[in-house]
Each structure stands twice: as structure tokens, then as C-alpha cells.
Amino acid sequence: MRKFINEPRQVARETLEGFLAVYGDRFTQVPGSLAVAKRIPADKVAIVSGGGSGHEPVWLEYIGPGFADAVCQGDIFAAPAPRSIVRAAKAVERGRGILFVYGNYSGDRLNFDLAAEELQAEGHEVLTVRVADDVAAAPPERANDRRGIAGGFFVSKIAGAASEVGLDLKSVQELATLAADRTRSMGVASAGGTIPGTEEPTFVLPDGKMEIGMGMHGEAGVRRADMATADETVDQMVRLIMGDRSLSPDEKACVLVNGLGATTRAELLIIARRTARVLDQAGIRIHDLQVGDFATSQEMHGFSISVFGLTPELQKLYDAPGRTSFFSGANRH
Amino acid sequence: MRKFINEPRQVARETLEGFLAVYGDRFTQVPGSLAVAKRIPADKVAIVSGGGSGHEPVWLEYIGPGFADAVCQGDIFAAPAPRSIVRAAKAVERGRGILFVYGNYSGDRLNFDLAAEELQAEGHEVLTVRVADDVAAAPPERANDRRGIAGGFFVSKIAGAASEVGLDLKSVQELATLAADRTRSMGVASAGGTIPGTEEPTFVLPDGKMEIGMGMHGEAGVRRADMATADETVDQMVRLIMGDRSLSPDEKACVLVNGLGATTRAELLIIARRTARVLDQAGIRIHDLQVGDFATSQEMHGFSISVFGLTPELQKLYDAPGRTSFFSGANRH
Amino acid sequence: MDRMTADDVRSMMIAVADRIIASEQLLTKADRDIGDGDHGLGMTRGFTAVRELLLENTYDDVQSVLAGVGDTLITSMGGASGVVFGLLFRAGAQGLLPSDVLTVPIAADHFERSTREISRRGGATIGDKTMLDALHPAVESLRRSSEAGDTLAYAFRGAAIAAGEGTDRSKDLVARFGKAMTLGERSLGFPDAGAVSTTIIFTAMAEWITANNEHPTTSAQGEV
Amino acid sequence: MDRMTADDVRSMMIAVADRIIASEQLLTKADRDIGDGDHGLGMTRGFTAVRELLLENTYDDVQSVLAGVGDTLITSMGGASGVVFGLLFRAGAQGLLPSDVLTVPIAADHFERSTREISRRGGATIGDKTMLDALHPAVESLRRSSEAGDTLAYAFRGAAIAAGEGTDRSKDLVARFGKAMTLGERSLGFPDAGAVSTTIIFTAMAEWITANNEHPTTSAQGEV
Ligand SMILES: Nc1ncnc2c1ncn2[C@@H]1O[C@H](COP(=O)(O)OP(=O)(O)O)[C@@H](O)[C@H]1O
Ligand SMILES: Nc1ncnc2c1ncn2[C@@H]1O[C@H](COP(=O)(O)OP(=O)(O)O)[C@@H](O)[C@H]1O
Ligand SMILES: [Mg+2]
Ligand SMILES: [Mg+2]
Ligand SMILES: [Mg+2]
Ligand SMILES: [Mg+2]
């Protein structure tokens, strides 16, 4: 064991306690679940997110003004159980309905769907937006099978902002769905992380190799390739992203360069530099460029690039105030 | 090579270009050096920081409103050369003098001192504050030999805030020195990082061992020990920190739990949870608790804890507005 | 043995729980090969809770035991397998009239209904390299045994064997579902982790029934 | 050879630069053992710049060559060794009257003054496990050679040997300075990386002088 943890099975719970030790002034734990809710949620559509833990700040820290109202963690890499989700949702529901925002994984779908049915049976309105931004996960004609990775940030930002301005559930869902539809991501990794309590990394790559299209749990991508330079790797990824959904000439984009855990800040900045450059060269106007660990996979060594094509309405929502522990506003305008 | 970089020798330069690609609206490169300056520095004492790169966000990203006015990077783990420092300082000096804030390492001292002499020879006023917060580096009677680690964050925050309110050079230096004197840190690590371009990690620990008191370049600490739980490790570190400088009963503290690179956010939150708990139990009032990668050593796996004892004046400065790419204000009050 | 009491089912499920818990490493490894490596942790978490539940409660009807097991798995596990294995025990019990014994026809009905619900909710069918590739043949075997009037021991042994064979066949399937999906060809040669769990569950049930076949309590309480 | 022209010194320093650049791995390893592992990178960076400088320029006096080398190191390297090795070449040249030849007494003066300045600025003295543990004995050897009237080749060979011995002795020192400081006892057995560099520098100088001892150009230009 080389991780600084206590009992491996308590990692998710203690992580949440740590989050509250730091941000407890703003948030409160939902009793009987690994969920956190805003202290005083306003009279608005309740945004509830969640998923397996081990991807911090996803989803635990996607809460805050202009972001989720409650977040619900599962155990490491395991979707939360329906009962926890129901409790989290009820803690913030104020009669305007509930929007679930989560990543498109079998486990999350199964659990959130059960929770939705339970809530609906009790008379709550529930709608769902699933993030499926990973272009490496399936071809365009099977886009519904794609998994959700770091691009969920943009969907959360839009859902939170839309709810904050007082829109109704249907409209918030539509805007968040629009954001999800206009977001594409792609990951790459050269070394895996380890689930606390297990001794071996989730995957092992031969020395000098990288997996292009790596998922956030170490799931395989489109292909295994020789390790290339950062610039070459970025060029390839941007090509694949833009090949999947090209931006129209008048469309502005928000871009996220996300570290998967052990990637150094220097690498991320070098990657951001190239990403900005190739997009600029392709004539794409970058409205905002975010760089950091927004969605990790333990100490995986790798990164993802997400591109979110704006509409004027989405841009207004993106620029609206919003804050989490890892985000405090746009870097560029 | 498993890092996502281009030419290893260009890492520092390209990192800086990446920083400007993201934050170029706010900052500008200083020609002829790996330095960045605020776009419109106000008429105030100029705070200039710098040091070896490879510790991002240190020092490159310690710039911003309420923080440094210019920062100057050296190559990886190597202090910047005097000429670069001089250029960075001149880019932001506005007749109110220059305060150097940097970590207490032989290389930094030698280079900043040469720079200071050169600036003084040209008629500029220059004073210096060296951060020497690592209690593991030397016993209290040789506190001047201690190296600077993550606690430099507090010194930067205070220096920046003091300069922002318009104090003169001497006063800013005194307050920053006071902050440095009241800050103590301690690091621990279980696996080393790798300098880009070299193939081997800076240090290798036998499996199941950790180094208590690990420095930010992989320098040895007080002792090598068996890997313990997060809670036991925190308890030990807090004991060593408080043994070096205990807080008086009416003193409030700011606390920083810092990741060294590959440490997961979950681990840091678990560590923060315990740190808050033991300090609370010791009757110490935590004014603010920060958690994140504030000072790294490539993808080293480990963390440090820093404790900064406030005075009422320092508290006012700590709470004054201040923002960097990785900090946007206190988490608790 | 043609019928088991609710208490037999309870004892059997404790044995199943023990066996799953003992298989944690194996399941973790299976999920790491082509998934995300948490299956062993999750199943152990779920069946530890099941164990506690069953040790603390008594039951009058079979459906309450199975639904209780299913509910506990759904509530305590999370993950895909929390719902999938929860439904395996819960879905078949819902809407069926409570019965104080478990017979082969009832077992066949239960697991058939569960299978349908898992497919309906999860969207996967046989051949997608999920636990359904073990469950489907097991249920078919139970159905055949039901029609043939086999004993419980014989029926569950057959189901366990069918599950095992299905798991083996899953090695030759390219994953079209879950976290192994994008592996494509690279998922070949590895069985699905949930299928491995399914086989362990049916095997543990078959072994418990076989071992307790002539058990006096069973026969005594079993006389309906 | 009793004297070297400025151009000889220039050629010699190019040879020194080549030697340091070729030693990058060795220096990196030495610094990784008890430091932060960047010494090889830094020295290579510095001496690559020195090489360019010297290949592009001609010099009339020895001090300009040495000061130019030192300035370039200070400007291009950064790190502790940027200043320390920069001062090694620059500090001795500052305040000395320019001379068109290098003799043993001038060399002894130069490096003695450099040593003092390195100590003054860096705060370290002999025994602290820094490059001073190689430099000090080298300078003492040069001073003795100067008093004995030795040839340049003999003097620099002696200095190189003394530097090497000092480097060897540094293995037995507990670091009291720089990044190895906190290693304490654990720094025993490893030489200081900067001392290794110092030895390489003096050895390369000695070898160049020896190899070019009877060089016609040298003697032709050397008649003062
Ligand atoms: N939609 C589905 N239908 C049936 N079984 C599924 C489905 N999704 C996943 N599974 C089963 O769950 C197993 C994975 O369980 P687990 O590792 O706990 O979940 P997760 O994929 O969330 O990590 C798979 O091996 C597969 O057998
Ligand atoms: N104060 C000092 N005085 C003399 N030499 C020093 C001093 N500090 C460091 N050095 C020398 O510099 C060498 C380290 O150089 P380098 O690795 O480039 O610097 P850094 O310590 O900044 O990484 C040490 O091995 C030592 O010989
Ligand atoms: Mg999982
Ligand atoms: Mg260094
Ligand atoms: Mg799994
Ligand atoms: Mg070094």
C-alpha cells in the first residue's frame, strides 16, 4: 500500500468527511448516504449529480452556486445505490422538479433509473441528462453507448446556470441536453491508477506505449500506440474530436484540458498550449480554456481534451456566475 | 518516456507558453526570460517571486491580484539566472521598490542575491524574504538553513496583500517576514517523481516505506519509516510541526494540505479531515483550510501540511481579496 | 429434496454470501482484466450486508428471503452489479404470490422473471458479454428441469453447470456492453466478471442443496 | 609551456565544455544520489552556451575569456551551480588587470580569488560537501606550483589530481549544505556532484594543456 489512506473500504466515506471538513460552511451531509447538499438551496429546479467515487473532483465537488445542488457518491468506481440518490434528491427538491446529470455508464443508468422511479412514485418530477462525450467509446451511430468523461463539466455548468436563472425543469433539461450534445472529449493515458485496497493498477501498458481514447476507469480506447510527443498526441486527439463533430465557422468553443491524476501541471499547460494553437489554426474561436484536474481516475497518468461548442444562449449560461472547489470562472473571454 | 511533453529541455519554456495560452488576458511574458508579469501593475511595491520550475503551480502561478506581480521560472529544479530575475523585476517596478519572495535554497539565494545587487547598482530598492518553513530540514537553532516548501503560499498571500494595500517596501517585507516566521510545514512521500528528460525517479523508496520530512526535490527528511495509515501519518506530522512552533491559545491558524503531484484528491481530503480533527482536538482554531496541489514535485506521491499562525493584522491581510489560478479565497471563516 | 423452506433458502443464501466473499480476489481480477476492477469489492460489500441481514432475520416465505437479499444488494452495493444482482433476487420475487417453499418450478419462474427484468432495465441480451450469458443458460436449464420434474439438487447442479459453460463461452464474445465495450477484440479470451459471479452463485446454491439433501430439518419442515 | 595566449585559453575552455557535455549522465546521477538530479542538465546547458560563445568570438586577453565563460554560465544555467561555476571563471577575472597570457601564478591568483568569492556568496567552506572540497585543494596545488615555478601542464595536472582527491574525500563528509543537507549520515559514500564537475573541469584543462604543450601556434604566440 503506497496510498495515504486508512481502511480502504472507508475511502469514499472519509473523502466526503474531508470535503465537509474543508467546505462544511457551504454544504451539509445528507444523512444515510454518501451525499452532500447545498445548505440553503433556492426555490429552483434541483440539480442532482453523482456516480462512482475515485474520480475526484467528480462528482463530489461538482456542487456549488451555479452547479449541482446535491451530489451523491458511490463507492470507488461504483455508481451510488438508488436509496442514496433518492435521499440526496429529496434533500434539495423544492417543488420545481429534479434533474439528474450523470455519466452514461450501465451502473449509473441502472441505479439512477431505479431512483427516478421511486421519486416519481412519490410524486416528484424527475428528468435525466446523461453525459456521453467520449468519442473513443463508440462510433457516431452508436453515440448513445458512449461513456461520460471530463466533458460532464460543461453539462454541469450549463445545467446549474439554467436552473439558477429560474427556468423550469423541462427547459433546464433541454439546455443541459443541448450542452451534452455539443460536447466531445477524448482521453489518452500512459499509466494506470490503483483502486485503494487492491494492489495492482487497473491496467498495465508496455513501456513506451499509450492508449488513445482511454476511459476514466482504465477502459480501452480506440488503439494502443507508441508514446508520441505532447504536440503530436494533441494534434491526433483534436483531429479525432473535430472529426466527430466539427464546429461551424461562427461557433465559439469552450475547451477543457483535464488531467487524469498523476499528470503534472506542466504537462497539462504544455498540452493546453498546443490545443489552443491547433484550434486557433483551424479558425476556431476559443471562448474559454480550462486546465486542471476536473475528472480523474486515481493517479492515472494521462489527460483528456473536451470541446464544447457554444450557442449564444449557452454562452450566456457558461459566463453566468458559478463556483466549485476547482472552478471559479472563465479564464478567457 | 511516459510524460506527455515535447523536447525535455523545452519543458519550462513551453509550460510558460501554456500558462499564457490560458491566462494571457491577465499576464504577459517578460521578453528574454522565463518570466511572467501582470499586465497593468499598480503603483505599489513590486512583489517578485521565482525559483526552479517543475513544482507547478510554484512559482509560475503565484501571480495575480493580491499575489506576486512578476514571477520568474528557472529550468527544472534550477533557480532562475540573475539576468532573468532582473528583467522580471524591472517589468513591474514602479518606483516603490522590489520585494523578492522565494524559497530558501542555495541556488535561489545565489541567483536572487546577484540580481538584487545588479538592481541596486541601478538605483532600485530591493529587499528579500526567504521562505524556510520545512521543519524537517534542520533543527530550530539552524532555522535559517531550512528549505522552503508549500508554506510559501502563506508568505506570498501576505506579501501580495500587504503590497496591494499600499504599504511601503519595508513594511511589506516586515509583514511577509512575520508570515514566514509563523509558518511551519512538513512533507512526507512514498514515491518519487521524474525530471523530464531523465529516465529515473529522483529517489526510490523500498516498497511499503515512506520518507517523513521529504523535501520538494526528493531531498531526504527526518527519517524513513514503514508506511502507516493516513491518520497515523497526519498525527505524527502535526506533532512535529506543533513541536517546532506551538500556537498560543488565542492564535488562529491557516492550514494547507498540499499534494506533491500524484496524490489523489481523495487522499488529500482524507488527510485534511484528520488534520482538521487533530488541530481541533488540540484546541486550535482553524481560520482557513486549503487543500490542493499548491507546490508539487513532478508526480511525487506524498503531501505536506503547513500551519500558519495568524495575528489580527495578518488575518486581515489573509482575508483580503487575492486570486491565482489555483486559489480564489478562503474556504472557511 | 423437492422443496426447500424459507429457512432453507435463508441458509442457502448465507452459504452463497460466504462463497462470494471468499471469491473477492478472483472477481476483482476478472473485472480488472476487461473492466474497472471493482467487481470483487462491490460483491463483497453487497453479500456482507446480505449475510448480516439473513443472520438477523427469520422468514415465513421464500419470496421475502429472495426479495430481502435483492433489496439489500441494491441498497448496499451500488455499481452495475448492485442493481443487476439485486434484480436477480428481487425482480423474480415481485408480483409472485408468497410461497412457503421453493420448488424447481418456482425457482425457474423466479429466475426467468429476473432475467427478463435485468434485460429490460439494462438493455443487454445474451451475447453482449454480461452476466446474462451465464444467467440465460442457467435459467433454461432450470426450465428444462422443471418440465422434467427433476429434484432441486439435480436442477441447481444443472443450472450451475450451464452457467459455467455460459461463462466459458463469454470468453469468445466481443464485449458490446459496459466498461469492456471499447476493448473490442481485446476482450476476447477473458470471461465476463458478472458471469463468473453468476456461476459462483448457482454453484454455491447447488452445493448447499446437495449437501443438505437428506437433512432431517429440511425434510421435517418440508412436508407440505 | 609556461604561458598560454587568450586564444589558447579559449580553445582549452572549448575542450572543457565538450568534456562536461559528455559527462551529463554521470553528473546527473551524482546529483540524483544525494541531490535533486538536475546538475547534469544544468552544466550541459551552461557549457553548451559557453561553447557557442567561444566558437563565435575572439579574445585579446585571458580575463575576457574567463569572465565571458563565467558570465555565460551565470546567465544561461541558473541553479546553484550556475552561480558557483560562473563565479569560478568570472570572479577571479574581475578586478584583475587584463593579461594577454595565462601563467601559473595568474591561474593560481584567479582561482584563489574565485574560491573566496564562492565562499563569501554561498556561505559554504571546505568540509561542507560542496564543490569547494574539490576546488580548495586544486587551488592550493596551483599556489604551490606557482611558488615552485612549475610548468602550466605540471601545475594543472597537479590541480586536477588534488581536485579528484578532494572529491574522493567528499564521500566521507556529511553534507551540511544544499539539497543533501538533510540526508545526514545517508550522504556518506557519495561524492558531491559539484566536486565531480570541478574535477572534470580541471582534468580537461590539464589534458588540453598537456596535449598542446609543444603546439607550434602556442609557442609562436606565447613568446612574450
Ligand atoms: N446492462 C447490464 N446488463 C447485465 N449485466 C450487466 C450490465 N452492465 C453490467 N453488467 C454486469 O455487471 C458486471 C460489472 O459489475 P461491476 O464491476 O460491479 O459494475 P461496474 O461496471 O459499474 O464497475 C459486468 O461484468 C456485467 O456482468
Ligand atoms: N553554497 C554553495 N557553495 C558552493 N557550492 C555549492 C553551494 N550550493 C551548491 N553548491 C554546489 O552546487 C552543486 C549542485 O548544483 P546544482 O545541482 O546545479 O544545483 P541545485 O542544488 O540548485 O540543484 C552541489 O553539488 C555543490 O557542489
Ligand atoms: Mg465500477
Ligand atoms: Mg536544482
Ligand atoms: Mg466493475
Ligand atoms: Mg541539483
Side-chain angles (χ1 to χ4, degrees), chain B residues 77-78, chain D residues 36 38 179:
Chain B
F77 289 3
Chain D
D36 59 357
D38 64 347
K179 298 200 168 105

Side-chain angles (χ1 to χ4, degrees), chain B residues 236-265:
Chain B
Q236 222 183 112
M237 290 166 77
V238 169
R239 210 157 34 231
L240 287 163
I241 290 171
M242 302 306 290
D244 199 83
R245 177 180 181 281
S246 62
L247 291 153
S248 55
D250 57 339
E251 198 174 322
K252 286 194 226 163
C254 293
V255 179
L256 167 61
V257 171
N258 171 60
L260 290 172
T263 322
T264 59
R265 178 93 181 149

Side-chain angles (χ1 to χ4, degrees), chain B residues 118 129 146 207 209 231:
Chain B
E118 201 173 308
V129 178
R146 286 179 175 171
D207 230 30
K209 294 281 177 185
D231 286 1

